[in-house]
Amino acid sequence: MEILIGGITSLFGGGGAAAAGTAAAAAAPVASGFSLATVLQGTATVLGVLSSISAGNAEADALELQAQDAEREKPLENLQGIERRASIKRAMADALGAGDVAYAASGVDLSFGTARAARTDAYREADLALTTDAGTQQTRVARLSERAAGYRASAKQAKRAGLLNGLVGGAKGLASMAERY
């Protein structure tokens, strides 16, 4: 190797002393176990560690955004539930009004008998529909909360996995460099 470095140095105008100095400088890192390959491998190892950690953090950020999206759907579900129940109440009022008009037009007293039974049934059906819708809304909101919690747990796991993959990659790189020497 000293001959090669000396030859290259003499081509560019360096003398024998320069060749000897260059050869000694080149031999020092090789003797101490430090080489360009080691530097490149170390750089690749560090970049691999950083890449693994960054990938884990990016996945965690994406999952956190999905969790926030699920949380933001809860108020929308509440508003939709309110609208559905208002619609049920309007439909009940319309049905009661139409029934009252029909019974009144036929001359039936609305305070007892079939007309009263029809009103009672309409109220029961509306109450059942309102209760069912409220339960459905609560279930949907609870599912959105569970989904958000699941996304957040996955985000934490992705961060840990990225860090672990980075550390394992770094350890492998260091072990590989240690095997060289």
Side-chain angles (χ1 to χ4, degrees), residues 2-3 5-7 9-10 14-28:
E2 291 178 29
I3 296 171
I5 293 173
T9 306
S10 64
T22 305

Side-chain angles (χ1 to χ4, degrees), residues 21-181:
T22 305
V30 173
S32 68
F34 185 73
S35 68
L36 180 60
T38 303
V39 171
L40 292 175
Q41 185 176 8
T43 302
T45 299
V46 169
L47 289 176
V49 168
L50 293 176
S51 176
S52 292
I53 293 171
S54 178
N57 287 339
E59 184 178 352
D61 289 345
L63 289 165
E64 182 60 36
L65 288 174
Q66 288 177 330
Q68 290 173 6
D69 189 45
E71 290 289 339
R72 287 186 187 120
E73 286 183 40
K74 288 172 19 179
L76 178 62
E77 179 56 40
N78 288 330
L79 290 174
Q80 289 173 342
I82 291 168
E83 178 57 36
R84 287 189 305 265
R85 287 189 296 282
S87 177
I88 291 169
K89 290 175 186 176
R90 281 191 300 272
M92 180 194 69
D94 290 345
L96 287 175
D100 288 349
V101 168
Y103 284 118
S106 66
V108 175
D109 186 4
L110 299 175
S111 61
F112 70 95
T114 306
R116 182 170 174 90
R119 287 177 73 71
T120 302
D121 288 344
Y123 279 116
R124 283 185 185 143
E125 287 179 28
D127 186 48
L128 177 63
L130 291 169
T131 302
T132 301
D133 186 71
T136 300
Q137 176 187 339
Q138 288 175 351
T139 301
R140 288 179 179 170
V141 168
R143 287 179 63 202
L144 288 169
S145 293
E146 290 171 3
R147 187 182 313 160
Y151 285 137
R152 286 193 173 99
S154 294
K156 287 180 184 178
Q157 186 177 6
K159 274 190 173 186
R160 278 188 235 124
L163 183 60
L164 182 63
N165 287 342
L167 292 176
V168 167
K172 285 181 181 178
L174 289 174
S176 175
M177 285 188 288
E179 287 177 3
R180 281 189 176 174
Y181 306 105

